[in-house]
Amino acid sequence: MHDHLRPFVKEVTDEVVRAIRKEIHEYHRPRDDTYSHVVHRGVEQALCGFLARMAEPDTDWEEVKATYHRIGRGEADEGRSLDSFQAALRLGARVTWRRINALVDAEVLPRHVLATFGEALFLHLDEMAAATTIGYTEARLHAAGELQLRRKRLIDLLTCESSVSVEAITELAQIAQWSVPREIAVVVVDHTRVPDTARPILPPEFLACLDAQPGVMVVPDPDRPGRVRAISAVLNGVRAAVGPTVALDEGARSLRWALDTLALSRRGVLPGTGVVRCSDHLATLLLFRDEALIDAIAHHRLRPLDQVRSPQRERLAETLLCWLQCGHNASEVAERLAVHPQTVRYRLRQLDEVFGDRLHDPAAQFEMQLALRALSLRPTA
């Protein structure tokens, strides 16, 4: 059978190539002679490989499979869907089958070759498709891995503490296939509450490295309308902190503040679920930047309260903070604390006795308010 079919390889090859280039758009490059030659050679190799297998069925198939692995990788490198190649395989098989039938009808080939030829053709087609799929998948995985590595390096560059030029960021962004925005924000994601099967699916413009603890995302143009809503939708209830919007070369600051925000969220100082924006809690972040300093202020300014027994001490501290926040308005204090105004006035007289003139010193009042606010935010306060 091999000897019968060998003389017709060239004309069948030409017919298959014409059909593929005519019917499958991805393979139609009328002005590209090099590409046409590649397509022609690929079809010819497929037919010759098929005839070789028919001649010697026990021939080692590994070398032929390696050829189709390379073809699959080439399709991936060209950026085509594997559907195009598989459509070309099916079309090539139909054209070949039709051509062989025509030769049999014209009595150029003996009719007994049809049954054996048909079975071998479609077996070969299946194996070509399988080998090509393996090569294609390997290439796509490799490309995805390479792209992810580049994007991880880009995240590192955007968030590193060292001085980084916008030009360096832009150069790496091009390699990582990331459109350079004017501004960014860094989001840190708390993986302690996220099972591996529920990792978020991110928009392609978000850079992400979620393997670390906490995970890190870089969000381009975070102040664009609907961006915060998009972040919340992506994370779907997972606890995360959004750093401030910064210029492209100031991502380290956004990361630093986001980490502080997440740490306070874990402690219960800030909301403990969902997405927390540090820009909504800047005063709290400032208060907790150096807690030892706040403790020193509290010791210096609030020490007179130590002479009052608990729980009266806590009530006086609460009243003092509210009085300072309300601009010394006793009626507003009573309303906010849901107590009688006379009770507030009684407590204020006690505070006057405890603190004396210091209670009316503006500098002392400012530091008292800072210390009381910080202490009230602590979960164990």
Side-chain angles (χ1 to χ4, degrees), residues 328-349:
H328 308 169
N329 188 319
S331 298
E332 188 176 345
V333 173
E335 184 176 345
R336 287 180 61 175
L337 296 182
V339 298
H340 196 279
Q342 187 61 35
T343 302
V344 172
R345 285 190 283 271
Y346 170 71
R347 292 180 185 174
L348 289 175
R349 286 196 296 272

Side-chain angles (χ1 to χ4, degrees), residues 57-76:
D58 296 331
T59 301
D60 184 12
W61 170 231
E62 290 305 314
E63 184 177 344
V64 181
K65 280 200 295 188
T67 299
Y68 292 107
H69 284 165
R70 287 194 295 273
I71 292 173
R73 288 195 295 271
E75 293 296 294

Side-chain angles (χ1 to χ4, degrees), residues 12-140:
V12 174
T13 297
D14 292 342
E15 189 172 347
V16 169
V17 169
R18 284 195 300 271
I20 289 174
R21 296 187 63 196
K22 178 182 178 181
E23 298 187 30
I24 300 177
H25 174 74
E26 287 81 353
Y27 294 98
H28 182 60
R29 297 186 185 177
R31 297 182 181 179
D32 191 340
D33 292 337
T34 301
Y35 187 72
S36 298
H37 177 69
V38 169
V39 173
H40 192 283
R41 189 178 65 217
V43 173
E44 187 175 38
Q45 285 179 345
L47 286 171
C48 290
F50 167 61
L51 292 180
R53 292 191 71 196
M54 288 186 66
E56 299 182 45
D58 296 331
T59 301
D60 184 12
W61 170 231
E62 290 305 314
E63 184 177 344
V64 181
K65 280 200 295 188
T67 299
Y68 292 107
H69 284 165
R70 287 194 295 273
I71 292 173
R73 288 195 295 271
E75 293 296 294
D77 292 341
E78 286 279 339
R80 284 189 293 266
S81 164
L82 198 56
D83 293 342
S84 301
F85 180 77
Q86 292 182 338
L89 283 181
R90 291 191 294 271
L91 177 59
R94 289 200 306 273
V95 171
T96 302
W97 178 249
R98 189 167 59 237
R99 183 66 177 144
I100 295 303
N101 269 278
L103 291 171
V104 169
D105 290 341
E107 298 183 351
V108 175
L109 292 176
R111 183 164 296 277
H112 72 269
V113 307
L114 276 181
T116 305
F117 178 85
E119 181 179 354
L121 176 65
F122 292 106
L123 174 62
H124 188 67
L125 180 70
D126 287 343
E127 292 180 342
M128 280 193 299
T132 308
T133 299
I134 292 172
Y136 182 88
T137 303
E138 288 175 352
R140 289 294 297 270

